[in-house]
């Protein structure tokens, strides 16, 4: 089974930065496409972005609300992807889920438990 | 604001069938496949249906998906109390170059 575990969530001030990590096991990580999805308190799911495998080009795609502020990267030697968030706003407060895209290009088959991010002064 | 519209709620009694609609446009449902996820309170979402009507391994055949034009539907037959959850449709949107989720539907078993 594929296991996905996020870490790095916490409290950050508006305008600040935070980096989330996501470790994946149970698959050939270098071939994996991965996504981030967030859910604000009491709200629905919002796709944040994805990173393709290096074989798939290694490129990233982002949702409009985070483009230019968030960066997704990967370290295949550590089976890990990262979500670097900067210029954080109150509306970025959410639980951030990392998910394995098991069916390329976008179907998310396995999800982590989520990392809560609070943006407050 | 989501580009895929779902009814906020749906309900039925145990054993009955409930259907959830998902309305989109030519740039998403009209040109790409639809996926469905469900989410129980306090937990991560789980994939229910992919590629319009394909059930991943382990998903009961009580769950079925369909699509026509720019709309899709999820049907749950033989409704059980365990099916109470939030349900989301999703699809890639070519205009936004993004994966978009529906507004979500809360299913209640009466």
């Amino acid at each position: 089974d594929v296991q996905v575990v996020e870490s790095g969530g916490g409290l950050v001030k508006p305008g600040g930065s935070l980096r989330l990590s996501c470790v994946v096991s149970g698959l050939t990580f270098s071939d994996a496409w991965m996504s981030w999805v967030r859910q604000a308190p009491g709200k629905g799911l919002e796709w944040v972005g994805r990173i393709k495998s290096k074989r798939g080009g290694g490129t990233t795609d982002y949702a409009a609300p985070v483009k230019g502020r968030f960066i997704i990267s990967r370290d295949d030697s550590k089976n890990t992807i990262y979500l670097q968030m900067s210029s954080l706003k109150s509306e970025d407060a959410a639980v951030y889920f990392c998910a394995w895209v098991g069916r390329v290009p976008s179907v998310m088959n396995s999800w982590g438990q989520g990392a809560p991010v609070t943006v407050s002064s | 604001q989501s580009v895929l519209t779902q009814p906020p709620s749906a309900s039925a009694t145990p054993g009955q069938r409930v259907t959830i609609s998902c309305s989109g446009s030519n740039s998403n449902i009209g040109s790409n496949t639809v996926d469905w996820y469900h989410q129980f309170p306090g937990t991560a979402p789980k994939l229910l249906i992919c590629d319009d009507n394909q059930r991943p391994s382990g998903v009961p055949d009580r769950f079925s998906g369909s699509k026509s034009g720019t709309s899709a539907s999820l049907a749950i037959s033989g409704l059980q109390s365990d099916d109470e959850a939030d349900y989301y449709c999703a699809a890639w949107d070519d205009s936004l170059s993004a994966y978009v989720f529906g507004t979500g539907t809360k299913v209640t078993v009466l």
Side-chain angles (χ1 to χ4, degrees), chain A residues 39 47 103 106-108 111-112, chain B residues 35 37 39 44-45 47 51 99:
Chain A
Q39 186 170 37
W47 183 80
R103 185 162 174 80
S106 49
V107 178
M108 290 172 271
W111 298 62
Chain B
D35 312 310
Y37 301 85
Q39 184 182 31
L47 180 65
D51 296 346
Y99 192 61

Side-chain angles (χ1 to χ4, degrees), chain B:
Chain B
Q1 187 172 352
S2 177
V3 298
L4 301 183
T5 302
Q6 300 177 234
S9 63
S11 62
T13 56
Q16 284 193 325
R17 174 186 172 99
V18 67
T19 301
I20 301 168
S21 61
C22 175
S23 178
S25 66
N26 287 328
S27 64
N28 41 66
I29 294 177
S31 50
N32 296 295
T33 57
V34 177
D35 312 310
W36 291 88
Y37 301 85
H38 63 170
Q39 184 182 31
F40 300 96
T43 69
K46 290 183 180 179
L47 180 65
L48 198 57
I49 296 286
C50 64
D51 296 346
D52 296 340
N53 54 23
Q54 301 300 303
R55 284 186 305 275
S57 174
V59 174
D61 59 7
R62 300 187 298 106
F63 296 89
S64 62
S66 62
K67 188 177 82 173
S68 178
T70 59
S71 293
S73 293
L74 173 73
I76 310 173
S77 59
L79 196 65
Q80 301 176 1
S81 57
D82 289 351
D83 296 329
E84 282 203 342
D86 293 320
Y87 291 77
Y88 296 89
C89 59
W92 186 262
D93 189 294
D94 293 332
S95 295
L96 299 174
S97 292
Y99 192 61
V100 292
F101 284 96
T103 48
T105 299
K106 183 175 183 61
V107 168
T108 301
V109 181
L110 301 172

Side-chain angles (χ1 to χ4, degrees), chain A residues 1-6 22-37 50-51 53 74 81 97-112, chain B residues 37 47:
Chain A
D1 279 6
V2 176
Q3 303 291 324
V4 179
V5 179
E6 305 95 336
C22 170
V23 179
V24 184
S25 60
L27 50 66
T28 303
F29 183 76
S30 59
D31 290 337
W33 292 34
M34 300 293 298
S35 283
W36 287 97
V37 174
R50 71 177 178 192
I51 185 165
S53 65
R74 63 189 299 150
I81 68 165
F97 297 101
C98 176
W100 167 55
V101 179
R103 185 162 174 80
V104 167
S106 49
V107 178
M108 290 172 271
N109 292 69
S110 297
W111 298 62
Chain B
Y37 301 85
L47 180 65

Side-chain angles (χ1 to χ4, degrees), chain A:
Chain A
D1 279 6
V2 176
Q3 303 291 324
V4 179
V5 179
E6 305 95 336
S7 62
L11 172 64
V12 61
K13 290 181 168 56
S17 298
L18 192 67
R19 189 180 80 161
L20 303 181
S21 300
C22 170
V23 179
V24 184
S25 60
L27 50 66
T28 303
F29 183 76
S30 59
D31 290 337
W33 292 34
M34 300 293 298
S35 283
W36 287 97
V37 174
R38 68 184 181 182
Q39 186 170 37
K43 303 297 184 183
L45 302 174
E46 181 184 22
W47 183 80
V48 172
R50 71 177 178 192
I51 185 165
K52 300 176 183 177
S53 65
K54 284 190 169 53
R55 184 181 303 185
T59 55
T60 51
D61 296 288
Y62 300 95
V66 308
K67 195 174 293 186
R69 299 188 300 122
F70 290 11
I71 296 173
I72 301 173
S73 60
R74 63 189 299 150
D75 184 338
D76 288 351
S77 69
K78 296 182 178 179
N79 281 23
T80 300
I81 68 165
Y82 304 96
L83 178 64
Q84 178 68 49
M85 302 182 289
S86 59
S87 302
L88 282 162
K89 308 173 184 179
S90 58
E91 53 263 41
D92 295 318
V95 174
Y96 283 75
F97 297 101
C98 176
W100 167 55
V101 179
R103 185 162 174 80
V104 167
S106 49
V107 178
M108 290 172 271
N109 292 69
S110 297
W111 298 62
Q113 81 287 354
V117 173
T118 303
V119 182
S120 175
S121 54

